[in-house]
Amino acid sequence: LFVFQACYGTPQDIGNDILIEGNVKSRTTGLPVEGIKVSAENSMAYDVTNYLGLFSFYTEIADDMKIMFEDMDSTKHGHYVYKDTILTDIRNQVTLEIKMDEK
């Protein structure tokens, strides 16, 4: 008799997570910016903005959190200056409206 047990999915983490979401637009045109990598410092969590400039990801909650915005495909959608912001007094969810400057 052979018994095979498979586990599907990813392991559950035990930390408290928070949803970071929002959109990224060009400061000069007001249009959505695609291809911006949005990430949390000291975390593997990130997302890349879609054609509507939207992003969302979960990361472990912290008292203060640095969120970084990096142009990953400057040749395709323009070239934008790196930007970051520090979040403080974080609750359950964070929604950000970011305007990126072009180089």
Side-chain angles (χ1 to χ4, degrees):
L1 177 66
F2 180 163
V3 178
F4 178 75
Q5 182 178 0
C7 296
Y8 297 99
T10 57
Q12 300 296 315
D13 71 337
I14 56 174
N16 291 326
D17 289 343
I18 185 167
L19 175 63
I20 308 290
E21 65 180 355
N23 66 14
V24 176
K25 295 182 179 180
S26 166
R27 183 176 305 281
T28 56
T29 67
L31 296 174
V33 179
E34 183 177 1
I36 300 296
K37 179 181 178 183
V38 184
S39 59
E41 186 177 53
N42 300 322
S43 171
M44 292 178 26
Y46 74 92
D47 193 13
V48 177
T49 57
N50 65 15
Y51 72 99
L52 296 173
L54 301 175
F55 67 89
S56 68
F57 61 91
Y58 284 91
T59 189
E60 191 170 333
I61 197 166
D63 292 333
D64 296 327
M65 186 180 305
K66 183 177 182 179
I67 305 296
M68 301 168 293
F69 302 86
E70 264 181 287
D71 187 356
M72 298 303 291
D73 65 353
S74 60
T75 58
K76 186 174 180 184
H77 296 103
H79 193 68
Y80 292 87
V81 178
Y82 169 88
K83 185 173 193 162
D84 62 43
T85 187
I86 304 291
L87 305 178
T88 59
D89 193 30
I90 303 167
R91 303 290 176 185
N92 299 329
Q93 180 177 336
V94 175
T95 302
L96 301 171
E97 304 287 327
I98 301 299
K99 293 187 179 171
M100 301 283 290
D101 293 313
E102 295 181 39
K103 277 192 175 181

